[in-house]
Amino acid sequence: MTVNVIGGGLAGSEAALQIARSGIKVNLYEMRPYKLTEAHKSGLFGEIVCSNSFGSVNLENGRGLLKNEAKALGSILLEVAEICRVPAGKAIAVDRDCFAQKVTNLIKENPFINVIREEVTEIPEGITIIATGPLTSEGLLNYLKDSLGIKDLYFYDALSPVVTFESLNLEKLFFGGRYDQPADYLNAPFTKEEYENFYNALITAERHLPHDFDKKFFEACLPVEEIALRGRDALRFGPLRPKGFSKSYYAVVQLRKENIEGTLYELVGFQTALKYSEQKRVFRLIPGLEKAEFVRFGSIHKNAYIKSSALLNEFLQLKSRPEIFFAGQISGVEGYVEAISTGLFTGINAARLFKGLNPVKMPDETMLGSLIRFIVRNSLETPQPMRANFGIIPERFFKVKKALRKKEFVKASERAIDEFKTRARITPD
Ligand SMILES: Cc1cc2nc3c(=O)[nH]c(=O)nc-3n(C[C@H](O)[C@H](O)[C@H](O)COP(=O)(O)OP(=O)(O)OC[C@H]3O[C@@H](n4cnc5c(N)ncnc54)[C@H](O)[C@@H]3O)c2cc1C
């Protein structure tokens, strides 16, 4: 007897490793490398497809607190992230190859995990976690629609380009960070004239949009040209803001290290749907990037997720078929740490179910509990995937003075996680 996990991305890898840790056998289905998604490039488990940052470590930041909770609950992928960490100020960023390779080794070497490399188009019998992510294959989406009666929802999201360090002109760029960020970033400052020139090229550049594109972007990840179209100065108040440096500039593009060696840099906030040839032409107008070599272009992609508020309970089980759990982006959460955390949570509960135990609820006084409550209880007609943030914590915390609210919630979360760990503990057979 086994538990099935479908999808070996962030949520699925964490879930499979957690179940295996409880001494239960897992069948982990992954369609790569035989069938790749629009964003993945390898057959590695835990491949991250866009930014290499897992976000802030500050506990008064939603993702920072969520990371803290997931670590306290024993997240295996976050342990790997620490091993593969690259400098990124107050954020955890990873060398993506190191990360995916180490996750893959942990899975391949685990005697409880049986890897099955195939595209799942029908849910297997038994307890199953569906963690097929935003780029779930059409075959499975059709099955979910036709056989489980789930209507898929989707919107569009976009990727930032990556350039080689050696192709950059360091006479025009400088290392440093905004405000108290350490000097891990490369900065490209603009004069007013350079900015105007870049701006005009950006808003008139040609885009490449999917045929069924209907312009439903996620506000937190808008393409750079879409922000620019909102006004001549919109970028100067957004990703190109010139604030927090010791000298004054008209606008500044930041580039963040993409790998440990520092041979690759990503343009921060430059998600884009421009044609590749246009990206080369327009982004080379950024001072210091005149000869930039692009190792990855920005792109735009579809993003599938279910309406969890109608379909799932607080354990992320399908109400109509409680042996089926959803985790990761397809469940309606957004982000790497959110995917890992929901994979961890469903992994714990799938293991409990397998052992004949009741699933355990994640307390509302935690960021993860708040996130789950939000996705399964919101009353929105068309909900958008949600990231961890302090706007979704229980209402009673809004009665606490604003200056103290986050601190109070962090304390409550630490207590609630300890208590959850005791309740969710599985005694080995
Ligand atoms: C292009 C893109 C860029 C993103 N950028 C960021 C970012 O910068 N920062 C951030 O925090 N979040 C980002 N996200 C959102 C999200 O955090 C990531 O997609 C994250 O990887 C989601 O984790 P997951 O486990 O849900 O899905 P994934 O990590 O995508 O894993 C799903 C896995 O399921 C497999 N699969 C799909 N269908 C099947 C099937 N039928 N049978 C078998 N296997 C299947 C896929 O091959 C994949 O390995 C991005 C999403 C996309 C698509």
Side-chain angles (χ1 to χ4, degrees):
M1 285 280 281
T2 53
V3 172
N4 307 303
V5 175
I6 307 176
L10 296 177
S13 298
E14 179 73 49
L17 288 163
Q18 291 295 335
I19 297 165
R21 186 183 256 177
S22 309
I24 297 167
K25 290 203 169 135
V26 183
N27 277 335
L28 174 58
Y29 294 82
E30 171 53 61
M31 65 181 185
R32 293 180 289 117
Y34 304 112
K35 183 166 183 174
L36 291 176
T37 71
E38 297 93 306
H40 292 84
K41 294 199 172 61
S42 75
L44 296 175
F45 293 99
E47 180 182 334
I48 52 174
V49 289
C50 183
S51 156
N52 64 338
S53 173
F54 283 46
S56 172
V57 289
N58 178 358
L59 297 187
E60 294 186 22
N61 166 294
R63 295 181 88 192
L65 181 57
L66 184 64
K67 260 198 294 293
N68 197 48
E69 293 175 354
K71 273 189 189 168
L73 292 174
S75 163
I76 297 171
L77 265 63
L78 289 181
E79 273 173 34
V80 176
E82 283 297 341
I83 299 170
C84 297
R85 202 167 165 175
V86 294
K90 290 181 179 165
I92 292 194
V94 298
D95 178 313
R96 65 182 71 231
D97 294 332
C98 166
F99 180 79
Q101 195 59 62
K102 285 206 171 6
V103 173
T104 304
N105 293 346
L106 285 178
I107 286 175
K108 281 193 173 161
E109 287 159 11
N110 194 309
F112 289 95
I113 303 181
N114 173 37
V115 172
I116 302 171
R117 296 278 184 180
E118 66 180 41
E119 177 192 0
V120 172
T121 51
E122 227 171 272
I123 305 298
E125 290 277 298
I127 298 171
T128 302
I129 298 177
I130 301 177
T132 43
L135 303 168
T136 296
S137 75
E138 283 300 319
L140 184 59
L141 281 180
N142 287 338
Y143 173 84
L144 295 180
K145 254 190 288 184
D146 300 341
S147 298
L148 293 185
I150 294 175
K151 276 196 232 141
D152 62 303
L153 293 170
Y154 58 86
F155 66 97
Y156 286 90
D157 218 346
L159 277 178
S160 295
V162 173
V163 294
T164 61
F165 177 70
E166 61 177 13
S167 67
L168 303 174
N169 179 357
L170 294 186
E171 284 178 11
K172 295 199 179 169
L173 305 175
F174 66 93
F175 282 102
R178 289 198 179 102
Y179 299 104
D180 53 353
Q181 279 176 344
D184 297 328
Y185 291 80
L186 261 178
N187 302 280
F190 284 80
T191 61
K192 184 166 192 277
E193 195 187 344
E194 286 165 338
Y195 178 82
E196 295 288 336
N197 191 23
F198 166 74
Y199 177 82
N200 291 332
L202 181 62
I203 55 165
T204 52
E206 244 185 294
R207 296 178 176 204
H208 171 74
L209 297 172
H211 66 278
D212 56 350
F213 174 74
D214 57 1
K215 220 168 174 216
K216 282 196 280 179
F217 287 115
F218 185 44
E219 277 293 318
C221 197
L222 282 178
V224 66
E225 63 277 9
E226 192 70 22
I227 302 177
L229 283 168
R230 294 182 174 189
R232 191 157 281 271
D233 286 327
L235 289 171
R236 298 203 314 118
F237 285 96
L240 272 66
R241 64 195 177 283
K243 300 274 180 229
F245 299 102
S246 52
K247 273 172 75 176
S248 80
Y249 303 104
Y250 193 72
V252 176
V253 169
Q254 287 202 300
L255 293 95
R256 182 174 50 220
K257 245 186 209 170
E258 170 72 11
N259 57 351
I260 289 174
E261 297 78 21
T263 53
L264 301 176
Y265 274 77
E266 180 184 273
L267 278 70
V268 179
F270 266 63
Q271 308 89 330
T272 181
L274 296 190
K275 285 189 165 170
Y276 289 178
S277 54
E278 290 288 78
Q279 291 185 39
K280 240 186 193 175
R281 180 178 69 82
V282 177
F283 299 155
R284 282 182 172 173
L285 296 173
I286 298 170
L289 271 68
E290 295 82 0
K291 295 192 175 152
E293 179 197 355
F294 290 81
V295 294
R296 183 185 78 200
F297 285 103
S299 67
I300 185 163
H301 63 89
K302 204 164 179 171
N303 199 341
Y305 59 98
I306 61 167
K307 189 170 179 179
S308 294
S309 51
L311 298 162
L312 304 186
N313 67 15
E314 60 199 347
F315 309 111
L316 299 181
Q317 289 168 298
L318 197 57
K319 288 179 196 163
S320 57
R321 299 264 306 268
E323 79 279 16
I324 299 178
F325 292 82
F326 280 82
Q329 187 110 352
I330 193 164
S331 72
V333 297
E334 157 81 21
Y336 298 155
V337 183
E338 289 79 351
I340 291 172
S341 307
T342 49
L344 171 73
F345 175 70
T346 51
I348 292 171
N349 276 327
R352 287 182 63 83
L353 204 60
F354 185 86
K355 298 218 170 190
L357 302 166
N358 288 330
V360 180
K361 187 186 162 207
M362 185 52 65
D364 288 348
E365 296 77 20
T366 58
M367 190 50 77
L368 181 53
S370 302
L371 187 61
I372 293 172
R373 193 188 57 237
F374 178 86
I375 64 166
V376 301
R377 295 243 190 101
N378 74 72
S379 53
L380 301 167
E381 187 49 41
T382 312
Q384 288 202 341
M386 183 51 72
R387 280 185 175 247
N389 69 83
F390 278 87
I392 55 172
I393 63 175
E395 256 179 47
R396 65 186 174 81
F397 284 92
F398 287 87
K399 298 193 178 106
V400 179
K401 264 201 202 143
K402 203 171 171 203
L404 292 177
R405 187 177 304 151
K406 290 184 176 176
K407 282 193 176 45
E408 285 296 307
F409 191 71
V410 170
K411 273 195 257 160
S413 140
E414 279 166 358
R415 281 194 301 269
I417 288 285
D418 280 346
E419 183 253 346
F420 175 86
K421 271 163 60 181
T422 314
R423 280 191 296 128
R425 188 167 295 139
I426 296 176
T427 330
D429 293 331

